[in-house]
Structure formats: structure tokens, C-alpha cells
Amino acid sequence: MKKSKEIIWLEPLQENLNYKFKNIELLITALTHSSYANENKLRATDSNQRLEFLGDSIINFIVSQYLYNKYPNYPEGELTKIRAKVVCESSLAFAARKIELGKYLLLGKGEEATGGRDRDSILADASEALVGAIYMDSDFETTNRLLLENFEADLVYAVAKGALFIDYKTELQEHLQKKTKSKIEYRVVKEVGPDHNKIFYIDVLVDNKIVGKGFGRNKKEAEQMAAKDALLIMGELDE
């Protein structure tokens, strides 16, 4: 099978992404930085720049649609501010680190030597290219679902800066108090990434049983995501 080694090598990334490509060439192109294409004398169209162009538009549209539907009473100016916080280089890089995208990038020797795998700009561009590749490989509905799953923490983070923040921890506590007096515990499972851009993974437990999982840029945000996950599992929230 053509590129069988690449297919095997990329399986963990597809698992992290929760999506399996029908056309693996699209994924490989999304991972191909222009420096790699130049060094290996590939065509300019073999790098991820065209997919990045497509993915940028898709991300902006999906996030805009999400905010428009989610917050019908918020004015245009505030929606624009929230979108700008979500769709930015640091947020895209954050999403890339969550699925360990950096380790799968095809980089030129110069970019490799200067830490390109963990550079925000390269990770952000690759995230956009990946979204473009998923869209070309599937459909809008699939892309919409996967994108919002990966950007959920960023949406919570951005909305928390305004007056629209939903306190999932309080909602979970109030829900459980109706049924039990058991204590809720939030436990840090792991921390990933450099100190300036760390990702925290947290489990929420009741009676030492995991009832939800979450991640975020800081512990408070990760706890909120874990509480939301628990509420979803319990059927107390709609997706």
C-alpha cells in the first residue's frame, strides 16, 4: 500500500483528533511545512499553505456561527471581540498542542533545528491546514463538530472574559447536592507543554469515581471543562 509507513506513523494523531482520514494524502499535505517542501524540491502546492488558506476561512465561519447562535442577545462588537480571542495564533497553537500535532509536522532542517515543532506560528498554521484537510476529506458537519470539540476550552476562556461565563462547577455542585452529600474533588492528572503555554488536564471525582474530564490553559479553566463534561454525561446539559 502506498505510503503505508506514513499511515501507521499517523495513526496516533488521527486517534488524538478522533478522526480517520479517508484520503491520507490530505493529512500528509496538512503536515508539510513550506520549508520541507522547499528542501525536498516539492511543488509549492505540496506544502500546507493552500489548506491553511481554506482552514482559516472555515474556522472563522464556524466560530462566528457558534457565537451567533449561542448568544443571540450579544451585539456584533462583543461577538467580534470574543471571536478574536478564540481565533488567534495562541489559541490555534493551544489546540495543536492538545493533539500533539507538532511531533508529526514535516519540517525543513533549519526549522527543525530552531525549535519549529513548538513554535506558535507554525503550530497555528498547521492547525488551520488540518481543518482545511478535514473539510476536504469529509463534510461541513464533521468539520464543525471536530473543530468545536477542540476549541471548547478556548471558547470558555474567551467568554469568561465577558459577562456570559457559565459556571459549570456551581451547576454541578447544585445538581449533586439534590442527590448526594458526597464531596466533589478536582484532581490534576497531568500538565503538558512549556511553562508559558501549559495545558492542564483535570478529572472531577465523586466518591473517588471519575465523573468528568477536562483540560484548559489553567487549573480553573480545566476544572470548568471537567464539570461541564460531567453535566453532559449526566444528561443535565445539551451539547
Side-chain angles (χ1 to χ4, degrees):
M1 183 183 292
K2 186 181 179 183
K3 292 191 180 294
S4 59
K5 290 183 178 179
E6 284 87 345
I7 292 172
I8 294 170
W9 174 57
L10 293 172
E11 282 180 355
L13 174 59
Q14 294 182 88
E15 290 175 5
N16 291 345
L17 190 59
N18 195 27
Y19 180 78
K20 189 172 183 64
F21 276 81
K22 296 184 285 291
N23 180 2
I24 200 69
E25 296 287 346
L26 280 168
L27 176 55
I28 293 170
T29 300
L31 299 171
T32 303
H33 190 259
S34 57
S35 63
Y36 181 91
N38 291 336
E39 284 189 13
N40 289 273
K41 295 181 171 55
L42 302 179
R43 298 173 300 171
T45 52
D46 288 329
S47 77
N48 62 8
Q49 291 178 324
R50 279 171 54 83
L51 285 173
E52 176 194 335
F53 164 80
L54 178 62
D56 174 61
S57 297
I58 293 168
I59 291 169
N60 273 284
F61 176 75
I62 288 176
V63 172
S64 296
Q65 179 179 258
Y66 172 90
L67 294 171
Y68 180 86
N69 292 328
K70 189 77 172 177
Y71 307 113
N73 298 318
Y74 233 52
E76 177 268 343
E78 291 304 313
L79 294 175
T80 299
K81 290 178 184 177
I82 294 171
R83 186 183 62 189
K85 292 174 183 174
V86 176
V87 186
C88 65
E89 185 175 279
S90 62
S91 292
L92 289 163
F94 173 81
R97 289 188 178 95
K98 185 172 77 74
I99 59 172
E100 299 183 307
L101 185 59
K103 71 163 66 172
Y104 299 96
L105 295 178
L106 298 173
L107 299 176
K109 294 178 182 177
E111 291 292 353
E112 182 79 63
T114 55
R117 289 191 187 279
D118 196 45
R119 188 175 303 139
D120 277 9
S121 59
I122 290 178
L123 289 173
D125 290 347
S127 288
E128 291 176 335
L130 187 58
V131 170
I134 292 170
Y135 175 75
M136 293 301 295
D137 192 64
S138 58
D139 51 39
F140 178 79
E141 289 74 20
T142 301
T143 309
N144 185 80
R145 175 180 59 81
L146 288 170
L147 183 66
L148 291 179
E149 284 177 2
N150 276 285
F151 274 88
E152 181 68 30
D154 290 285
L155 288 163
V156 170
Y157 176 79
V159 173
K161 300 298 182 182
L164 294 173
F165 182 59
I166 300 171
D167 189 350
Y168 294 115
K169 287 181 66 177
T170 298
E171 287 197 14
L172 178 61
Q173 184 174 342
E174 291 176 350
H175 170 68
L176 289 173
Q177 281 178 343
K178 297 175 184 177
K179 299 181 177 182
T180 178
K181 294 183 179 179
S182 299
K183 183 181 177 182
I184 303 173
E185 179 187 357
Y186 291 88
R187 184 177 299 169
V188 177
V189 179
K190 63 178 178 178
E191 301 175 16
V192 178
D195 289 340
H196 70 279
N197 205 349
K198 199 176 287 292
I199 304 172
F200 293 87
Y201 290 81
I202 283 180
D203 291 345
V204 55
L205 301 91
V206 178
D207 290 330
N208 287 318
K209 293 181 181 179
I210 298 172
V211 296
K213 295 175 176 288
F215 65 90
R217 296 170 183 267
N218 53 53
K219 291 178 182 178
K220 289 184 178 179
E221 186 181 333
E223 288 173 356
Q224 288 288 343
M225 295 307 301
K228 184 188 179 195
D229 185 48
L231 288 165
L232 285 169
I233 292 171
M234 294 172 185
E236 294 300 311
L237 282 179
D238 294 325
E239 280 283 7

